[in-house]
Amino acid sequence: MKFTDGYWLMRPGCTARHATEVGDVRVDDHRMTLYAPVKHVSRRGQTLNSPLLTVECWSPAEGIIGVRTTHHAGSVRGGPEFALPGADAAAGKVRREGAVLELSSGELTLRVDTEQPWRLDFTDGGRLLTSSGERGTGFVTDAEGRHHMVGQLALGVGELVYGLGERFTPFIKNGQVVDIWQADGGTSSEQAYKNIPFHLTNRGYGVFVNHPGKVAYEVGSEAVGQVQFSVEDQSLEYFVVYGPTPKQILERYTALTGRPALPPAWALGLWLTTSFTTDYDEATVQSFIDGMADRGIPLSVFHFDCFWMRAYQWCDFEWDADTFPDPEGMLARLKDRGLRISAWTNPYIAQKSALFEEGMREGYLVRRPDGSVWQWDLWQPGMALVDFTNPAARDWYIDKLRTLLAQGVDCFKTDFGERVPTDVVWHDGSDPERMHNYYTHLFNQAVFDLLREERGEGEAMLFARSATAGGQQYPVHWGGDCYSTFEAMAESLRGGLSLGMSGFGFWSHDIGGFEGTPTPTVFKRWVQFGLLSSHSRLHGSNSYRVPWDYGEEAVEVTREFTLLKHRLAPYLHRAAQQAHTTGVPVMRAMVLEFPDDPTAAVLDRQYMLGDDLLVAPVFTDDGTVEYYVPEGTWTNILTGAQVTGPRWVREQHGFHTLPLLARPDSVIPLAADAQHPVSAWADDIELRIHAFADGARRTVVIPRTDTLGETAHFDVHREGDRLSVTTDSPHPWRLRVGGPGGTVYTNTAGRGRAEVRYED
């Protein structure tokens, strides 16, 4: 929110008060509190009739420093609050030397000179990361009398800002105005389904604003050298999170706010849905599944979208008997074919639903201040919201889903949860403004906890649209309603990369686009992109996404890339394990892997899939693609062609290839079974060796499919023209040097050491 009129003036009706100096301090071993007047005080009489800001500084975890600025501490503030499972009250250490106070946590230090004008310096050793200076700490009252706490942190020359949730605007946030406020705005606007008050920069730190309500950001867009964030409140709390690398920033941030659960390995396969408003019944569903099988396209999950329930009755969790007269039998037949089942849900109860009257009677629905149930006619006529702050309402809702699990459903698409009203009263007394963004967290948490309880650890997963900070704990999230165009495909990728820079490990999108019908060209290119994402779902709105609707070549492309993803499953599941244990996403913006490459800092049309694969989707009708390769020799794993960087490359690709490049000195494991996402991965595994330099050494881990464990390790080392492989695997394995046509060495002995001649 902008408060100034240019640099010198305030906007009409706005009055600002900023910390000017340190008037007093209170210090203990782990914490310091600064008392800051908003004007220079040279004599005692000047302490009267003027605000005094209380600025508390502490460390909630190593490498993180918190700052809480409060104007009036006696204000009433309802919940909710973000949970911080990684917090430690005694993580920091305060040191005082003369007028200088320092709070250190790991390599991060907050330095304050109490005899100088107000300034908070965050340093890494002797290097300044950022600072909060003359206008950096304070509050503003506006023309309507609203009270805003404001913080500013300086941006250095060339400093770039990323994150703030799944945003479809430009990937680099400099110059943008961003409101952290959940909205159902599609993928073509500045609104976002997943608003996360966390950003990081390419200067070695990130910032998490610990406020679940609306946070208004001016990212170099009001004061061009500052990131400004403000909340309508009496207190503002933020955490500076040290790296120094972007990966380390995400590791620390997700350790504080929660790491992603590990989705089941079967979810890596291809998902197909009924689409949204299309006509379908059991015969349609069977025809889709038969059609995929007849065309040799392995299918892992079938999703039933909204109209598995009767029109006007979402959600009542009852199958439409006209289209699905035998749901239990149908689901059993689908599961006999090896499929998992996903069902659409949302947290709204339409007035025609049989659950509406029950929910109203029992107090399970959100109410207005006058005691009436909050309702409107957008989406479902007369719909109300389940009040998840009421434990009884949560249990009531979850019991409906429990019945579906008993019928054979494996997971749920948790749709919506963004348009949450603020003119309501919550069961637990939560502040409506703070609950607006947080509601989706309670919804997804409730459903995920049920799945974990019923299916077990490692088997629970969602397909969720909305989220806030901490929501990364309940994967997977998808990108919402996009159009069926190349432009929407590119904006979807920007959103996914931005979400990954906000602590979310897993992300998907509607292959082919949701609104409209893609051209065959768009469909085939989106299939490539979708099957090289962490999770892959064919889904549309008013048209089907079965490949044969887009031509025979679309069938071939879908089959080829589904089989490729299955072969890559051990590699992808290992990347999933890394996301679970470190918070580093499966789909990574290039700056995450190459923070020291200035070109990588600005790239948003390509990404790293795990540690070692570069993906550059094609966004053109003629197959032309421009992409950047960092230093070294990169190998296209589809064609064997090599590209040496750092440089930009322009290529033209048919529909059966795209830039899918293996990193120099990489070893990519490929499963022998291309028909299933889950198989005995270590058995007859193929290790692809790419541009392996003399002296290079890599360890490849083949993960388990059911736990965080590992089934096999391969240590690969090159010395001169000899390549040695040492493994603990009892299974046969193969080694291929170069691309798909490279030399193959087969080892049937399993564990032990093998040595072959290296020929690039």
Side-chain angles (χ1 to χ4, degrees), residues 293-327:
D294 292 345
R295 293 167 175 82
I297 304 174
L299 192 61
S300 297
V301 182
F302 193 85
H303 169 73
F304 291 87
D305 216 55
C306 313
F307 281 98
W308 69 268
M309 291 180 279
R310 292 163 291 183
Y312 295 123
Q313 297 183 197
W314 306 337
C315 287
D316 65 0
F317 307 108
E318 297 286 342
W319 292 83
D320 185 339
D322 292 336
T323 52
F324 302 108
D326 177 24

Side-chain angles (χ1 to χ4, degrees), residues 5 134 157 200 319 338 387 417 425 437 443 447 489 514 571 591 673 729 746:
D5 177 9
E134 181 181 1
V157 176
L200 57 83
W319 292 83
D387 188 344
V425 175
N437 290 342
F443 172 40
V447 179
M489 182 175 155
F514 179 71
Y571 171 84
V591 69
D673 184 357
S729 174
T746 301

Side-chain angles (χ1 to χ4, degrees), residues 577-639:
Q577 289 183 342
Q578 292 172 333
H580 170 68
T581 57
T582 69
V584 175
V586 174
M587 298 174 67
R588 305 170 188 174
M590 295 296 290
V591 69
L592 270 178
E593 284 293 333
F594 302 96
D596 297 325
D597 186 328
T599 301
V602 301
L603 302 176
D604 63 4
R605 296 195 305 274
Q606 63 186 75
Y607 57 95
M608 294 295 293
L609 184 63
D611 293 328
D612 292 324
L613 289 177
L614 186 157
V615 183
V618 178
F619 299 103
T620 59
D621 282 317
D622 65 359
T624 301
V625 56
E626 290 181 325
Y627 64 97
Y628 174 78
V629 287
E631 185 176 1
T633 299
W634 295 70
T635 306
N636 190 312
I637 71 169
L638 301 176
T639 68

Side-chain angles (χ1 to χ4, degrees), residues 392-572:
R394 171 188 164 116
D395 293 344
W396 171 73
Y397 183 90
I398 290 303
D399 280 344
K400 310 303 177 185
L401 301 186
R402 202 183 304 271
T403 300
L404 293 168
L405 295 179
Q407 291 178 328
V409 171
D410 294 289
C411 60
F412 296 106
K413 173 180 171 179
T414 50
D415 206 352
F416 290 89
E418 302 94 3
R419 290 178 176 171
V420 177
T422 57
D423 57 339
V424 294
V425 175
W426 295 91
H427 173 81
D428 72 347
S430 286
D431 182 328
E433 191 266 351
R434 295 166 72 89
M435 184 55 73
H436 173 85
N437 290 342
Y438 199 78
Y439 180 80
T440 181
H441 190 78
L442 297 179
F443 172 40
N444 287 325
Q445 182 183 52
V447 179
F448 195 89
D449 286 349
L450 167 70
L451 289 165
R452 187 154 43 194
E453 173 191 337
E454 290 287 331
R455 294 292 187 254
E457 196 72 40
E459 283 294 306
M461 74 160 291
L462 309 175
F463 225 82
R465 188 171 79 172
S466 56
T468 187
Q472 68 269 8
Q473 297 171 91
Y474 314 119
V476 168
H477 295 82
W478 103 97
D481 298 346
C482 49
Y483 283 87
S484 300
T485 63
F486 280 128
E487 291 79 11
M489 182 175 155
E491 71 201 20
S492 293
L493 175 56
R494 287 197 302 274
L497 296 181
S498 184
L499 189 67
M501 297 293 273
S502 307
F504 284 68
F506 306 96
W507 177 79
S508 186
H509 44 96
D510 291 342
I511 295 176
F514 179 71
E515 296 289 354
T517 300
T519 65
T521 296
V522 168
F523 180 83
K524 287 177 282 191
R525 292 304 185 190
W526 210 318
V527 162
Q528 295 177 324
F529 168 40
L531 282 159
L532 292 170
S533 300
S534 83
H535 293 80
S536 309
R537 186 182 71 159
L538 292 159
H539 184 57
S541 177
N542 56 10
S543 56
Y544 300 124
R545 292 293 177 267
V546 288
W548 50 90
D549 279 0
Y550 304 93
E552 183 54 37
E553 190 173 36
V555 171
E556 296 171 4
V557 172
T558 306
R559 180 173 54 244
E560 290 169 8
F561 280 85
T562 302
L563 298 180
L564 173 64
K565 190 172 190 187
H566 288 175
R567 294 207 68 196
L568 286 170
Y571 171 84
L572 293 172

Side-chain angles (χ1 to χ4, degrees), residues 11 37 297 341 349 384 414 440 527 611 623 660-661 698 702 757:
R11 295 198 169 198
I297 304 174
I341 306 300
I349 307 294
T414 50
T440 181
V527 162
D611 293 328
L660 176 57
L661 278 64
R698 291 292 295 270
I702 310 302
R757 182 178 178 83

